[in-house]
Amino acid sequence: MENSKKHPLIEDYGLIGNLNTTALVSKQGSIDFLSYTRFDSPTIFGALLDREKGGFFSIEVECEQVNHKQLYLPDTAILLTRYLTNVGIAELTDFMPLEEEENQFILVRKLKVIKGNLNIRVELRPRFEYGKYEFNLEQEDDHLVMRSKGPEANTCHLLCNLDFKMEGASLTTEICLSAGDEINFALVSANTEHSESNKSKSLEYYANQSFENTIHFWRNWTNKSTYTGRWRDIVNRSAITLKLLTSCRYGSPIAAATLGLPERIGAERNWDYRYTWIRDAAFTMYSFLRLGYTDEARKFIAWIQQRSLEIDTAEALKLMYRIDGTINLEEVTIPHLEGYQGSDPVRAGNDAFNQFQLDIFGELIDTIYLYNKNAEPISYDFWLSLIKFIDYVCQHWKRKGHGMWEVRDEKREFLISKVMSWVALDRGIRIAENRAFPAPLERWRQTRDDVFNDVFNNFWNPELGAFVQYRGATTLDASALLIPLVRMLSPKEPRWISTLRAIEKELVTDSLVYRYKLSNGASDGLSDDEGTFSMCSFWYIECLAKSGQLEKAILCFEKMLGYANHLGLYSEQISLNGEQLGNFPQAFTHLGLISAAHQLRLLLTQDKMS
């Protein structure tokens, strides 16, 4: 057990959240990551990045041999961790009641002994500001207050009926429980309000009532999904994960729950993904729309409309924001954290927000097109703000940038930037025609044709028999898999079929797909290779299905399901030894899974009908 504390695996965690922030709970029942109290806030628990300095909240059964099992209550974000021993069984229930305000935070932990007599040890070691500050302990009425020693004096309140003591820089308690015994813990932010009626209730009453309310919320939400049939459980789990990563206040989804988890152990690809990328958010909304969740799409449309109203020119649109739409994302390193398994530096913030990435306009306009078509009509005022984005693409589609993978070396004319420029123009034309909105359609159509011809002729490498990563390149990029998925080329187009074969030869290992390979001549400004990129695997599966290789696509899809962790969650990448790498869980991977399942189910249904 001691070894697992020092060297946790990324995939050994479950996710809980309240639609304002999230926490990771290990198989052993330790909360080892929590941004407090918002997705992009500094952590209060960060043992995943540094066991000694990061902070955690652990509940352990003290027994020589403990077998741990973890599962979600079906169709909810309520996590159960079971402790199975030769002398007894205990069950821990972790969840966050849903709160509308981002500074209203409650985390509930319910521990019950199912069988036997068990010794329980609880240790609470909060570390404020990414592990920088320890805490002073104060007693207030019926709860303990942990107050940061830092200048901000942040606080966290613990409600529990057990007696805790200070042990070094931790709060600890030990207790023997028998079958049927149950203890409750509530971790609460200082400004979380409780109604007068609740103040007179016991902690046990509150924990049980909020448990019922949380089950009710999640099952009601899951029941709104229009997805039916094969793979429904895993699609629902991915949808719940995307929902957990989406702000209920702002409607903006983050890319992943964590910062600093490496794309390669011991290397430098360790980024902060707790922000709203225009690209990732657009793909997320596409997934929600496919599942019938129009409310989520509606809130994001309102969020992006606000961003468009705040800027005078399209060039001022950033590729990522904080969830509230602000852009103070300066990247800093956290020197006192050693990083996951020694992978440093640990970075907070993300300097990529200042990059130019032309493709974001295509993903954004495509999502708005789908929303206008399948959910509800956009307003004319919103259309006027979109015109500046489409016109910008018209004028700047040849501009060099950093591409969708945010390379940190020289700017280039990336293939994916051209493809998504074509998408921005094509979908803009379709919206204008569908709604009879005023638009310079002749100019847009001419530019759309110019972009198409440029891609078809100038990004084709006849020696490789493939479309290449950027103009003049001799390397491949898995983002080319989007070409048939966005309907720029038919999946039966000869040049596309040839490209698919080339990608299979160079970037695919069974069902695992690399974005690109530095060892094959690609360059991104960093020296180390990375793992396979799971979203690209799901793009590959869709491409197989669309090209008529349905059985192969289904086989690859079901193999990819085997790379999920024990709860159906995925990080960003997978190493060739099967280990999950990168920030966790990753929205990109889960929305890719949803899209692939949707496509496979659609084609299976058509096969049955024919």
Side-chain angles (χ1 to χ4, degrees):
M1 185 178 294
E2 187 63 28
N3 185 58
S4 68
K5 289 182 181 179
K6 293 181 180 178
H7 304 287
L9 295 176
I10 293 171
E11 62 259 35
D12 284 346
Y13 286 87
L15 182 75
I16 59 173
N18 62 0
L19 310 186
N20 292 307
T21 192
T22 56
L24 296 184
V25 186
S26 75
K27 277 185 177 180
Q28 289 74 34
S30 179
I31 297 177
D32 289 345
F33 191 91
L34 169 62
S35 297
Y36 182 77
T37 57
R38 204 171 85 163
F39 293 121
D40 50 7
S41 297
T43 59
I44 188 174
F45 302 133
L48 190 56
L49 299 171
D50 191 312
R51 185 67 193 179
E52 293 302 316
K53 299 176 183 176
F56 58 86
F57 183 179
S58 67
I59 298 176
E60 298 176 327
V61 171
E62 295 189 309
C63 189
E64 188 171 326
Q65 193 168 20
V66 183
N67 187 20
H68 298 90
K69 298 289 184 182
Q70 209 170 44
L71 67 151
Y72 282 111
L73 287 179
D75 292 339
T76 77
I78 296 175
L79 186 64
L80 304 185
T81 305
R82 288 181 178 146
Y83 308 78
L84 307 169
T85 78
N86 291 329
V87 295
I89 301 172
E91 185 174 84
L92 174 66
T93 304
D94 283 308
F95 64 96
M96 293 188 199
L98 282 299
E99 299 290 343
E100 290 296 326
E101 297 298 325
E102 64 190 36
N103 58 357
Q104 304 278 299
F105 170 88
I106 302 175
L107 186 154
V108 176
R109 316 197 77 186
K110 297 167 58 66
L111 181 71
K112 183 175 183 178
V113 173
I114 308 299
K115 181 181 180 180
N117 300 308
L118 296 174
N119 293 317
I120 309 297
R121 174 180 168 80
V122 182
E123 183 173 359
L124 181 57
R125 188 188 294 183
R127 291 292 182 271
F128 293 88
E129 298 290 327
Y130 299 113
K132 188 174 183 179
Y133 299 112
E134 296 180 358
F135 67 96
N136 293 313
L137 184 65
E138 302 171 12
Q139 178 79 45
E140 286 188 10
D141 299 327
D142 60 345
H143 58 273
L144 298 172
V145 180
M146 293 154 286
R147 194 176 303 277
S148 169
K149 291 183 178 180
E152 298 298 323
N154 292 325
T155 63
C156 187
H157 297 221
L158 176 66
L159 283 66
C160 183
N161 297 326
L162 300 180
D163 292 325
F164 282 82
K165 62 180 180 180
M166 284 294 293
E167 192 174 279
S170 300
L171 273 180
T172 64
T173 189
E174 296 183 10
I175 187 173
C176 181
L177 297 178
S178 301
D181 290 344
E182 183 174 331
I183 52 176
N184 297 283
F185 307 85
L187 206 61
V188 183
S189 61
N191 44 11
T192 298
E193 298 179 1
H194 300 284
S195 67
E196 290 301 320
S197 60
N198 278 341
K199 288 181 179 178
S200 63
K201 309 288 187 181
S202 66
L203 174 59
E204 179 183 9
Y205 174 88
Y206 173 78
N208 290 335
Q209 188 65 43
S210 59
F211 173 77
E212 295 297 330
N213 291 342
T214 306
I215 284 183
H216 184 71
F217 169 84
W218 283 110
R219 289 189 172 158
N220 276 353
W221 186 82
T222 307
N223 285 338
K224 295 177 182 177
S225 173
T226 56
Y227 188 96
T228 57
R230 197 166 177 178
W231 308 300
R232 186 176 187 274
D233 287 346
I234 192 67
V235 168
N236 281 353
R237 180 52 51 201
S238 289
I240 289 170
T241 302
L242 293 181
K243 180 67 171 174
L244 282 169
L245 297 176
T246 302
S247 167
C248 66
R249 177 176 181 182
Y250 301 105
S252 46
I254 59 171
T258 57
L259 76 156
L261 295 183
E263 297 170 13
R264 182 178 177 183
I265 303 300
E268 62 178 327
R269 296 175 184 269
N270 318 313
W271 314 112
D272 188 349
Y273 278 8
R274 301 168 303 151
Y275 307 113
T276 299
W277 270 253
I278 296 296
R279 175 191 311 107
D280 300 46
F283 281 136
T284 299
M285 292 310 122
Y286 186 22
S287 295
F288 278 141
L289 284 170
R290 276 184 158 174
L291 299 177
Y293 290 115
T294 55
D295 286 346
E296 283 70 19
R298 184 180 298 111
K299 290 190 75 171
F300 172 70
I301 292 296
W303 184 89
I304 196 62
Q305 183 172 6
Q306 183 60 36
R307 304 289 78 75
S308 68
L309 292 173
E310 292 168 354
I311 57 178
D312 295 326
T313 64
E315 190 167 8
L317 182 71
K318 295 293 184 181
L319 69 96
M320 75 176 84
Y321 294 83
R322 290 187 180 273
I323 57 171
D324 60 5
T326 57
I327 54 172
N328 51 326
L329 296 170
E330 181 181 356
E331 188 176 294
V332 297
T333 60
I334 307 174
H336 55 274
L337 294 180
E338 67 177 11
Y340 175 86
Q341 294 191 20
S343 302
D344 63 357
V346 177
R347 299 178 175 93
N350 198 311
D351 277 348
F353 84 97
N354 271 324
Q355 289 185 354
F356 175 72
Q357 297 178 18
L358 185 62
D359 68 281
I360 66 171
F361 297 102
E363 288 116 3
L364 178 60
I365 302 300
D366 193 24
T367 297
I368 295 169
Y369 161 75
L370 291 168
Y371 179 81
N372 179 77
K373 178 181 177 182
N374 299 319
E376 62 185 22
I378 62 170
S379 69
Y380 181 61
D381 285 339
F382 189 25
W383 171 247
L384 292 176
S385 69
L386 295 182
I387 287 177
K388 64 187 174 190
F389 295 144
I390 303 167
D391 278 341
Y392 183 84
V393 172
C394 253
Q395 298 165 19
H396 297 278
W397 64 271
K398 295 181 181 180
R399 181 176 170 182
K400 296 179 179 180
H402 294 278
M404 75 180 301
W405 303 133
E406 297 168 6
V407 301
R408 296 203 171 198
D409 59 356
E410 63 180 286
K411 298 177 182 179
R412 299 182 178 94
E413 286 189 63
F414 283 99
L415 170 69
I416 189 60
S417 299
K418 297 292 185 289
V419 170
M420 298 314 294
S421 294
W422 180 89
V423 170
L425 292 159
D426 180 73
R427 304 311 192 260
I429 292 166
R430 290 171 185 266
I431 294 172
E433 290 177 335
N434 174 263
R435 299 291 306 282
F437 282 150
L441 292 178
E442 185 176 345
R443 176 161 55 88
W444 288 0
R445 288 193 188 99
Q446 181 59 56
T447 308
R448 180 183 63 179
D449 292 347
D450 292 342
V451 176
F452 183 97
N453 288 326
D454 187 44
V455 169
F456 198 79
N457 297 310
N458 298 325
F459 286 79
W460 173 255
N461 184 312
E463 293 181 7
L464 293 176
F467 293 107
V468 290
Q469 185 181 43
Y470 55 88
R471 187 186 297 274
T474 57
T475 54
L476 302 180
D477 190 308
S479 63
L481 293 165
L482 285 171
I483 291 174
L485 302 188
V486 299
R487 304 190 301 280
M488 186 177 190
L489 289 178
S490 162
K492 303 295 179 67
E493 172 69 38
R495 285 194 178 185
W496 166 248
I497 293 295
S498 179
T499 299
L500 181 59
R501 291 196 193 103
I503 288 174
E504 285 183 312
K505 181 179 178 180
E506 182 170 315
L507 300 179
V508 177
T509 301
D510 196 31
S511 62
L512 300 176
V513 182
Y514 289 96
R515 293 191 289 186
Y516 46 80
K517 282 189 176 179
L518 300 184
S519 57
N520 286 354
S523 172
D524 60 11
L526 299 170
S527 59
D528 54 298
D529 261 317
E530 59 181 8
T532 61
F533 206 81
S534 296
M535 182 178 63
C536 296
S537 293
F538 291 116
W539 288 347
Y540 170 60
I541 289 163
E542 281 199 71
C543 287
L544 287 175
K546 284 178 174 289
S547 68
Q549 303 176 70
L550 183 57
E551 290 186 4
K552 182 178 178 180
I554 292 172
L555 178 61
C556 287
F557 181 79
E558 293 183 332
K559 284 184 175 183
M560 279 303 297
L561 298 186
Y563 286 106
N565 81 344
H566 58 291
L567 296 167
L569 303 180
Y570 293 85
S571 63
E572 181 179 40
Q573 300 184 18
I574 297 170
S575 70
L576 290 185
N577 69 5
E579 184 178 356
Q580 297 213 27
L581 296 171
N583 286 305
F584 176 87
Q586 176 84 1
F588 249 167
T589 308
H590 287 278
L591 62 88
L593 184 154
I594 291 170
S595 183
H598 176 87
Q599 184 63 45
L600 293 177
R601 186 196 61 163
L602 184 65
L603 293 175
L604 280 170
T605 302
Q606 291 174 356
D607 270 5
K608 288 179 181 179
M609 295 176 63
S610 61

